Amino acid sequence: MDTMERRRLGRTDIVASVLGFGGSEIGYRRASGRTVARLLGGALDAGLNVIDTAECYEDSEALIGRTIGSRRREFYLFTKCGHGAGWARPDWRPARLLASIERSLRRLETDYLDLIQLHSCSLAELKRGDAIAALERARERGWARYIGYSGDGEAARFAVECGRFDTLQTSVSIADQEALELTLPPARAREMGVIAKRPLANVAWRYARRPADSYYRTYWSRLRALAYAFLRDAPDTAVATALRFTLSVPGVHTAIVGTTKPARWQQNAALLRAGALPRDEFARIRARWREVAGASWEGQV
Ligand SMILES: NC(=O)c1ccc[n+]([C@@H]2O[C@H](COP(=O)([O-])OP(=O)(O)OC[C@H]3O[C@@H](n4cnc5c(N)ncnc54)[C@H](OP(=O)(O)O)[C@@H]3O)[C@@H](O)[C@H]2O)c1
């Protein structure tokens, strides 16, 4: 068994594998329990120790609880709250957030979370402070060991600067580099843990035509404009460069990749064995971004 690199998640006691499991795909794509058991069982056997999900990723929490709840001590479990009745119906009232967290514990078949995150609430909601206080209450009650913010842009910047969160989960990839200047330097200064979401830019370059699913469209358009030369490499080489870019960004501790395919974990772990991206390659991607990115190229939720 190869041991995957691990990094301490900021000032927490969590030592996270650089490759984590992003739980949205298994929920939205309705993966079967059998697939999830193979996907996560194999990943845990091979050294992955971070699983991230959310209360609104359809059945994701229940699938994770049902398939690997019995191995709870072998991984760190992160989830999110704020959309207890579905993504389209956010609700930041403290009582609702606490009820949602209790439900997450039941679904995930655990009595504690390692991290509970506010799921992309607005800057105004963060400034009001009640939602953050609800997470602090959950931590006091022992429902979660740490609290975090998951989101982007000015709200993420406020979340970093307010000093109340242990971690930031934010978009970082070859197609989403706003965080590298806006939030990651202050997050590093405060020793916050940083979880890179959408770390492969959804591999949006694989679509020959504009994707029907709006979730992929912004990255698809950006990547057409960026036209990085390495995207013309063999598919695995291009994915490797994209993932190694994300994990070479200063301050990033773990990258959570979403998939429904059990073989992906081993494949992505193998792609990372080459380590950090060489400095000149990293600098070329940054330079191209600075040259092409428009002012509207904000962090994508
Ligand atoms: N606001 C928020 O808090 C928020 C928002 C978005 C995401 N997230 C979190 O971040 C996680 C990751 O985000 P994401 O899943 O949207 O983005 P992602 O990890 O950048 O992309 C996932 C896509 O990459 C493909 N993929 C993975 N490995 C591959 C490989 N070796 N070769 C080719 N394709 C590969 C997967 O397709 P296959 O199925 O073909 O493997 C999947 O469609 C989510 O699961 C979620 O936990 C949080």
Side-chain angles (χ1 to χ4, degrees), residues 40-199:
L40 290 179
L44 292 184
D45 288 343
L48 176 143
N49 71 356
V50 168
I51 296 176
D52 177 84
T53 184
E55 86 295 31
C56 60
Y57 296 160
E58 304 292 342
D59 282 340
S60 178
E61 289 187 330
L63 280 165
I64 292 166
R66 206 180 319 134
T67 53
I68 50 159
S70 59
R71 298 179 67 177
R72 178 67 186 91
R73 287 177 186 282
E74 296 175 44
F75 55 91
Y76 296 111
L77 189 51
F78 307 166
T79 194
K80 314 188 190 81
C81 59
H83 303 85
W87 177 253
R89 297 170 62 193
D91 192 337
W92 308 105
R93 286 174 290 181
R96 294 300 173 93
L97 294 175
L98 288 165
S100 169
I101 297 167
E102 260 196 301
R103 187 183 61 177
S104 292
L105 291 171
R106 283 195 302 277
R107 286 172 164 179
L108 287 161
E109 301 193 12
T110 184
D111 51 11
Y112 72 97
L113 303 164
D114 292 288
L115 177 66
I116 181 69
Q117 302 157 101
L118 270 183
H119 200 175
S120 309
C121 66
S122 67
L123 176 61
E125 206 58 64
L126 279 177
K127 283 187 171 167
R128 213 184 325 269
D130 296 352
I132 308 178
L135 264 57
E136 289 167 340
R137 214 162 310 137
R139 186 172 55 190
E140 280 158 26
R141 289 179 184 176
W143 293 355
R145 299 198 306 123
Y146 296 105
I147 65 173
Y149 178 72
S150 182
D152 305 85
E154 287 304 327
R157 172 101 188 179
F158 179 86
V160 169
E161 288 180 341
C162 76
R164 291 168 74 179
F165 292 103
D166 302 303
T167 63
L168 172 69
Q169 177 175 149
T170 200
S171 295
V172 181
S173 74
I174 55 166
D176 206 329
Q177 300 185 30
E178 182 186 60
L180 275 70
E181 276 155 35
L182 184 65
T183 50
L184 297 189
R188 276 180 89 194
R190 286 169 178 74
E191 288 186 274
M192 287 177 75
V194 174
I195 301 152
K197 65 181 168 77
R198 307 183 75 172

